Amino acid sequence: MTFSILLKQMLAQLPAALRKLDPRHLWRSPVMFIVWLGSVATTIAVFADPSTFTISLAIWLWLTVIFGNLAEAVAEGRGKAQAASLRAARTDTIARVVGPDGTESSVPGTQLKVGDLVLVAAGEVIPGDGDVVVGVASVDESAITGESAPVIREAGGDRSAVTGGTKVLSDEITVKITSAPGSTFLDKMIALVEGTSRRKTPNEIALSILLVSLTLVFVLAVATLAPMADYAGAPQDLTVLIALLVCLIPTTIGALLSAIGIAGMDRLVRVNVLAMSGRAVEAAGDVSTLLLDKTGTITYGNRQAARFVPIGSVTDTELRDVVRLSSLADQTPEGRSIVALALAEGADDNDLPQGASFVEFTAQTRMSGVDLADGTQIRKGAGSAIHGWVGGTMPSQLTDVIEWISSDGGTPLVVASKHGDTSTVLGVIHLKDVVKEGMVERFAQLRSMGIRTVMVTGDNALTAKSIAAEAGVDDFLAEATPEDKMDLIRREQAGGRLVAMTGDGTNDAPALAAADVGVAMNTGTSAAKEAGNMVDLDSDPTKLIDIVEIGKQLLITRGALTTFSIANDVAKYFAIIPAMFMVAYPSLDALNIMGLATPQSAILSAVIFNALVIVALIPLALRGVKFRPASASAVLRRNILVFGVGGVIAPFIGIKLIDLLISTIPGIG
């Protein structure tokens, strides 16, 4: 973020910062509320003693509060800008609702109810969140994800969820509405990016309690200092005591704390991840185990034809043409991939012969194929199903090929033909789950960050082992049921580890809900998105690396600025305490190591620095401290050296420079 951009954002959000001076807002931040009370008291004192010192002090105390509000306002403003673009995608639509008797009626989208069936044709906007129950269509989701490429949404499987406000580009689908108006995914996104539904995280609450405790300690210390000063013969004005209190309480982190949390969620939105809670963002920073659903997450989700293996005397060309013929009318992803592979290997692109009829797959037969006009039947299916259809003894070569494909992590589809009483096994189609590109490299990155990856799949152990090795995950859970996933998560959590899981299917929903960080794919089902506490709009399972880095960055930033804020107070002791008691105790002049001009300039310089450092740290609070993979001890050491030592040194330099500037002002210098 350049200085000019930040300056424009600050100027734009200045009215919002002034509105936040309302005490009903400030009381949520006890530290800044104390500063507000001090500003009010000092302002009242100005009317009793309108000196240059008290007026200057009142101005800079008010600026301290405004600068603290400005940090939060700038963070919220960035989210509101994103919310405005999302609102532009929300349109009022007329929905075509299908009644129980099949009749259509036009209903405003705002009146849709959960369970309504809605027809959406090409060119129409989907009126509400739901699942495709009939049909397949190409959908433009750029208004939600920012990705211009259309996506396919189809009934059944894990790519059925559609979002209100997106547009159907081709075909017609029937959508079952799953969210009532006002609580749609788009509405939730708008509320979250605006910050209106952001709650403090456990870590943030704990830090707030620490800040309140420190503030109470300093309030009591300053309150008892007044009678002690009177007893010592060095009575102190109320304005000086207020200045001391404001400089000693942790105003820097108190002012920036909310901005850090908002900016963390904002950074997630910028990488197209929607966090449903701040708790999930924090938990992501401490994740040590990652469970990944195989289908649709590690692999593309649809098995694709990898090769055709002929049996016996059947040639490659003969098998290629037969499997293409058997799959021409098969509109499943597997069927389309078989035709595509056959064409890639040189098959003719002809339609089904005259009189041929397609035989669809059923759970009973576990086969599909085609019946030709001359009486020839061609079938493809599981080995046991083809064995029963063909009858007799299967070739030994077939058994070897099936075992080889299975051990390679693939799925064998046996192809056979029958004409009259003659049956022939022709070959095997090797279907394979295709691992997404770049998975090995991304999992290696996770491993370097100390995160263990576990692939979860319903496949048999042999297939799971092969896919796990190809993808580069650390471990796998095969033949997993939803209960198995839950048990694995509980075992990991019982060992003190935080667990993250990505998934997209309805069967992933229980595990997504149980995980500390549940990242649902936007392409997944509504049930998965409701169960998770994050939604990846790009549906990229490797996005978890970015999520973990942002989570760690949030925690590191909060810790770094807390260290800096507390370390800042050391220099302020040397500025204000000698100035307050130098008259009564001349020996305290030895503590005036900065050589500040007068007691008034020393106190005012500390207050001015206290205000300006908030503005100086706003960019760091919004951008975050740069994350570098390292151990907790290394991060702590870096925090102490950079922000602890830096927090001690910076005020000495800053306060001295400010003193040199203001010491020439009459009534202060």
Side-chain angles (χ1 to χ4, degrees):
M1 182 187 299
T2 64
F3 176 76
S4 60
I5 294 175
L6 177 62
L7 185 60
K8 289 179 182 177
Q9 290 179 347
M10 285 182 168
L11 292 175
Q13 296 303 322
L14 187 57
L18 294 174
R19 287 193 295 271
K20 288 178 181 289
L21 289 174
D22 186 338
R24 290 171 297 180
H25 170 81
L26 284 169
W27 74 268
R28 299 172 190 169
S29 175
V31 176
M32 298 311 296
F33 185 64
I34 292 293
V35 180
W36 180 86
L37 289 175
S39 304
V40 172
T42 307
T43 303
I44 295 172
V46 167
F47 293 98
D49 179 21
S51 65
T52 303
F53 174 70
T54 53
I55 293 172
S56 301
L57 199 59
I59 291 172
W60 280 102
L61 287 177
W62 280 114
L63 286 175
T64 301
V65 183
I66 293 171
F67 291 159
N69 291 343
L70 193 60
E72 184 178 30
V74 171
E76 289 178 350
R78 295 164 71 181
K80 288 178 180 177
Q82 292 172 334
S85 65
L86 289 173
R87 280 197 177 91
R90 186 168 58 184
T91 57
D92 294 329
T93 58
I94 299 297
R96 294 188 290 146
V97 178
V98 181
D101 56 355
T103 58
E104 288 186 27
S105 59
S106 297
V107 175
T110 54
Q111 296 180 15
L112 289 173
K113 302 183 297 295
V114 175
D116 283 346
L117 296 178
V118 179
L119 284 175
V120 189
E124 296 179 349
V125 174
I126 297 172
D129 292 359
D131 291 320
V132 179
V133 292
V134 177
V136 56
S138 175
V139 178
D140 177 10
E141 294 187 340
S142 58
I144 306 297
T145 65
E147 177 57 54
S148 58
V151 296
I152 300 299
R153 294 289 179 263
E154 56 188 340
D158 294 338
R159 295 177 181 269
S160 61
V162 290
T163 305
T166 57
K167 187 176 183 179
V168 174
L169 299 179
S170 68
D171 304 293
E172 184 178 76
I173 53 177
T174 300
V175 176
K176 183 177 182 180
I177 299 299
T178 58
S179 296
S183 60
T184 64
F185 186 64
L186 191 56
D187 291 315
K188 292 177 183 177
M189 284 184 67
I190 291 171
L192 286 164
V193 299
E194 277 187 322
T196 55
S197 64
R198 192 191 82 89
R199 296 181 180 179
K200 287 188 175 182
T201 64
N203 183 280
E204 198 171 349
I205 292 171
L207 183 54
S208 296
I209 293 171
L210 173 63
L211 298 182
V212 170
S213 301
L214 288 174
T215 301
L216 288 174
V217 168
F218 285 120
V219 167
L220 294 174
V222 172
T224 57
L225 196 61
M228 291 175 61
D230 290 340
Y231 178 78
Q236 301 296 323
D237 290 339
L238 176 64
T239 54
V240 173
L241 293 173
I242 290 172
L244 174 64
L245 176 62
V246 169
C247 288
L248 295 186
I249 63 177
T251 50
T252 306
I253 185 61
L256 298 174
L257 185 58
S258 181
I260 294 169
I262 294 172
M265 297 186 73
D266 176 68
R267 283 193 293 273
L268 275 179
V269 172
R270 290 176 184 273
V271 296
N272 260 7
V273 175
L274 187 66
M276 300 300 182
S277 73
R279 180 190 291 267
V281 184
E282 277 191 359
D286 290 324
V287 161
S288 55
T289 303
L290 167 61
L291 309 186
L292 300 114
D293 180 53
K294 185 206 75 174
T295 305
T297 303
I298 293 177
T299 66
Y300 281 105
N302 295 323
R303 296 175 302 174
Q304 298 182 10
R307 61 175 66 86
F308 306 136
V309 183
I311 299 295
S313 60
V314 178
T315 65
D316 292 339
T317 301
E318 290 173 338
L319 179 61
R320 178 200 68 193
D321 292 340
V322 168
V323 296
R324 186 194 73 88
L325 199 61
S326 70
S327 303
L328 276 176
D330 185 354
Q331 291 305 303
T332 64
E334 291 88 351
R336 292 195 294 267
S337 74
I338 291 171
V339 174
L341 180 59
L343 293 175
E345 293 187 356
D348 293 330
D349 189 9
N350 300 324
D351 295 330
L352 275 174
Q354 190 71 27
S357 60
F358 176 63
V359 179
E360 292 188 7
F361 175 89
T362 67
Q364 289 74 31
T365 64
R366 293 190 298 153
M367 297 183 300
S368 65
V370 63
D371 291 340
L372 302 180
D374 63 359
T376 301
Q377 298 175 312
I378 302 172
R379 297 288 185 273
K380 65 179 190 296
S384 58
I386 296 295
H387 187 188
W389 183 71
V390 170
T393 304
M394 303 293 279
S396 59
Q397 183 188 357
L398 176 65
T399 304
D400 295 339
V401 171
I402 290 175
E403 289 181 356
W404 165 66
I405 291 175
S406 297
S407 64
D408 191 43
T411 302
L413 281 186
V414 179
V415 183
S417 66
K418 183 186 291 185
H419 189 84
D421 295 332
T422 305
S423 301
T424 306
V425 175
L426 303 173
V428 181
I429 303 170
H430 181 182
L431 295 178
K432 185 178 180 181
D433 271 348
V434 179
V435 174
K436 294 181 177 180
E437 294 83 1
M439 298 302 288
V440 175
E441 293 79 7
R442 300 290 277 187
F443 288 143
Q445 283 181 270
L446 287 169
R447 198 173 298 112
S448 69
M449 294 163 63
I451 297 175
R452 174 172 166 263
T453 53
V454 181
M455 183 186 78
V456 181
T457 176
D459 290 339
N460 61 65
L462 207 59
T463 300
K465 182 179 180 180
S466 175
I467 296 293
E470 184 178 352
V473 296
D474 297 315
D475 201 356
F476 64 89
L477 178 66
E479 299 178 353
T481 63
E483 292 76 17
D484 293 333
K485 298 176 187 178
M486 293 285 288
D487 289 341
L488 178 57
I489 290 173
R490 290 193 183 104
R491 286 199 302 272
E492 292 290 324
Q493 290 172 334
R497 292 176 286 273
L498 293 186
V499 180
M501 174 170 175
T502 62
D504 58 359
T506 301
N507 64 322
D508 297 323
L512 285 171
D516 299 286
V517 180
V519 184
M521 301 294 104
N522 191 43
T523 55
T525 61
S526 298
K529 289 195 282 188
E530 287 294 327
N533 48 28
M534 290 189 185
V535 177
D536 177 12
L537 301 180
D538 293 331
S539 300
D540 176 8
T542 61
K543 186 72 68 63
L544 193 82
I545 292 177
D546 298 317
I547 294 172
V548 169
E549 287 185 355
I550 290 172
K552 288 184 180 295
Q553 188 180 42
L554 174 66
L555 296 176
I556 292 170
T557 301
R558 193 176 288 154
L561 292 184
T562 301
T563 303
F564 185 89
S565 178
I566 295 174
N568 254 251
D569 294 340
V570 175
K572 297 167 192 172
Y573 285 114
F574 285 94
I576 297 181
I577 298 297
M580 291 174 64
F581 295 99
M582 204 180 300
V583 174
Y585 302 102
S587 59
L588 285 177
D589 188 52
L591 295 178
N592 185 20
I593 59 177
M594 287 179 275
L596 303 178
T598 66
Q600 287 82 4
S601 70
I603 293 169
L604 189 57
S605 296
V607 172
I608 293 173
F609 176 83
N610 194 61
L612 293 179
V613 76
I614 295 173
V615 180
L617 291 175
I618 288 177
L620 185 60
L622 298 179
R623 186 181 65 250
V625 176
K626 185 175 178 59
F627 168 72
R628 298 183 183 90
S631 64
S633 59
V635 171
L636 178 61
R637 186 165 55 250
R638 177 170 170 258
N639 263 4
I640 293 174
L641 290 175
V642 176
F643 295 95
V645 175
V648 172
I649 295 174
F652 279 95
I653 299 172
I655 291 173
K656 178 59 179 178
L657 291 175
I658 294 170
D659 178 75
L660 291 174
L661 291 174
I662 68 172
S663 60
T664 59
I665 300 175
I668 295 176

